[in-house]
Amino acid sequence: VQLQASGGGLVQPGGSLRLSCRASGNVFSINYMAWSRQAPGKEREFVASVTSNTGAVVGDSLKGRFTITTDNGKGTVYLQMNSMKPEDTAVYYCNVRGLQNNYGDFDSWGQGTLVTVSS
């Protein structure tokens, strides 16, 4: 299963950006979609996730600014980022888990999309 992430770029502080990540290939069902990020010189951190059991979860420090949504029909997960800050600068990764037709589970990662918040 391949993931194609898009939407990254340069945004000014206080601005907004929406990331998209679409899963393609042999996908029977999806049960987990998430975003994480890695800033320069830092470890990767959780941003947000959506599961069929828990619904949407956003990292505590990002609540109120970031929103995760999905379009299950398109196999796509979105990350809406508002009131952005320079510390949001990072490479953002999407992660999708689910079942393939005849091949069991899959756990795929996108290639990463760079988000830079700067004036």
Side-chain angles (χ1 to χ4, degrees):
V1 175
Q2 297 78 42
L3 302 186
Q4 182 63 49
S6 61
L10 175 64
V11 61
Q12 292 187 344
S16 298
L17 209 59
R18 189 177 83 152
L19 305 181
S20 301
C21 177
R22 181 176 181 273
S24 63
N26 183 3
V27 178
F28 175 73
S29 64
I30 293 173
N31 53 45
Y32 176 88
M33 306 181 91
W35 291 94
S36 59
R37 68 184 184 182
Q38 187 165 20
K42 295 187 177 181
E43 294 185 353
R44 190 174 298 191
E45 66 171 339
F46 171 82
V47 173
S49 67
V50 178
T51 73
S52 55
N53 294 329
T54 64
V57 176
V58 178
D60 287 343
S61 64
L62 303 174
K63 288 179 180 177
R65 297 194 301 119
F66 286 20
T67 304
I68 185 170
T69 57
T70 63
D71 184 335
N72 291 330
K74 295 182 179 180
T76 301
V77 58
Y78 304 95
L79 183 68
Q80 178 67 43
M81 303 181 289
N82 299 326
S83 303
M84 297 188 72
K85 305 174 181 180
E87 51 264 42
D88 294 323
T89 295
V91 177
Y92 285 71
Y93 298 92
C94 56
N95 175 215
V96 177
R97 304 170 190 168
L99 293 175
Q100 293 183 288
N101 292 297
N102 302 320
Y103 289 99
D105 297 342
F106 73 88
D107 183 353
S108 296
W109 287 84
Q111 79 280 13
T113 183
L114 177 63
V115 172
T116 303
V117 184
S118 175
S119 56

